[in-house]
Amino acid sequence: TNAVAQIVQCATVVRTLPDSDFGGTPGEAARDDLWMGFWCGFLCMLRSVVRSLPAAGRVVSALGTSAAAIVQEGLPETIQGALYAVASRSGDFHKNLDLVDNSTNIYV
C-alpha cells in the first residue's frame, strides 16, 4: 500500500504542475513523459515486493493466479487508467482516486 500511496501522490503532483514548469516543452507531452517515469518507478517497487514474497506467493492457485501475479500484474492493470487520468487532468479527479482506493482495497 505504500507504493500505491506514493504513485497516487506522484499523479497528483504531475496534475498540479503548471505547463510553464516544463521549460517551454509542450505541456501535455512533457507531463506524459514525467508520468511515465513515475509509473516505471512504481512498477519497479512492485517487482521488489514480488521478489520479497515467500515461495508460496508464486504458487498458482486453483483460481489460476498467484499472489505475485496479482501484485505485479492485476493491481497495475486495474489502477493504471485512473491514475493516468489524474496525472493528465482528464476525467473526474475524485472518481478516479476512489477507483484507485477501492481497487487497492481489493488487491492488497
Side-chain angles (χ1 to χ4, degrees), residues 39 72-81 107:
W39 184 254
Q72 194 168 346
E73 298 165 16
L75 177 63
E77 282 179 19
T78 303
I79 65 174
Q80 182 178 20
Y107 280 101

Side-chain angles (χ1 to χ4, degrees), residues 3-91:
V4 174
Q6 288 176 1
I7 195 66
V8 167
Q9 184 177 11
C10 290
T12 305
V13 166
V14 170
R15 176 188 187 92
T16 58
L17 289 174
D19 290 340
S20 61
D21 283 358
F22 293 105
T25 306
E28 189 173 317
R31 190 177 309 282
D32 283 352
D33 289 346
L34 180 60
W35 170 246
M36 288 308 298
F38 284 135
W39 184 254
C40 288
F42 172 69
L43 295 177
C44 286
M45 284 189 276
L46 293 182
R47 282 192 296 275
S48 175
V49 168
V50 167
R51 281 193 303 272
S52 72
L53 289 174
R58 292 184 249 325
V59 173
V60 177
S61 73
L63 298 174
T65 191
S66 66
I70 289 171
V71 170
Q72 194 168 346
E73 298 165 16
L75 177 63
E77 282 179 19
T78 303
I79 65 174
Q80 182 178 20
L83 284 171
Y84 178 74
V86 169
S88 65
R89 303 176 178 174
S90 60

Side-chain angles (χ1 to χ4, degrees), residues 82-106:
L83 284 171
Y84 178 74
V86 169
S88 65
R89 303 176 178 174
S90 60
D92 183 277
F93 177 76
H94 296 289
K95 185 176 180 180
N96 285 314
L97 289 183
D98 285 344
L99 175 68
V100 172
D101 189 42
N102 291 338
S103 298
T104 303
N105 289 334
I106 290 168

